[in-house]
């Protein structure tokens, strides 16, 4: 009932090269406290083809697994999994 009332967020974009871009984002819930860091790298292989890779990294207290009948959350972003991705985007 008290998750997600206040957020602080920031985003950074960096064009390392005209074909290579780096992105980073951070979302914080200061009331928990917990947060989610997002990192991404994209490379333009051709005019309509992009290769991208990235990660989502959560930070926060893990749920109380001993709570009955269900695990009790102790922070919002502590519930999130670590997530890595690799994608190939093409437009026809």
């Amino acid at each position: 009932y008290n998750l997600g009332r206040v957020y602080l967020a920031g985003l950074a974009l960096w064009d390392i090269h005209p074909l290579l871009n780096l992105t980073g984002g951070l979302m914080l819930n200061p009331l928990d406290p917990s947060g989610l860091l997002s990192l991404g790298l994209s490379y333009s292989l051709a005019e309509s083809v992009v290769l991208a890779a990235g990660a989502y990294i959560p930070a926060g207290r893990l749920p109380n697994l001993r709570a009955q009948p269900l695990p009790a959350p102790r922070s919002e972003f502590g519930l999130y999994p670590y997530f890595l991705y690799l994608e190939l985007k093409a437009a026809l």
Side-chain angles (χ1 to χ4, degrees):
Y1 67 95
N2 62 354
L3 300 178
R5 291 183 180 180
V6 176
Y7 289 109
L8 299 173
L11 178 66
L13 306 169
W14 181 27
D15 292 331
I16 299 169
H17 182 272
L19 301 176
L20 186 63
N21 300 313
L22 179 66
T23 61
L26 180 63
M27 187 182 324
L28 298 173
N29 183 341
L31 300 178
D32 284 335
S34 64
L36 182 66
L37 175 65
S38 144
L39 300 171
L41 188 65
S42 64
Y43 183 74
S44 294
L45 298 172
E47 186 175 328
S48 61
V49 180
V50 175
L51 179 65
Y56 292 97
I57 303 165
R61 293 174 44 187
L62 296 174
N64 181 1
L65 299 176
R66 296 184 182 148
Q68 297 296 327
L70 296 173
R74 298 190 301 186
S75 70
E76 180 174 6
F77 295 111
L79 296 169
Y80 285 33
Y82 287 86
F83 184 78
L84 302 173
Y85 67 89
L86 179 64
E87 64 182 34
L88 181 64
K89 297 188 281 187
L92 301 174

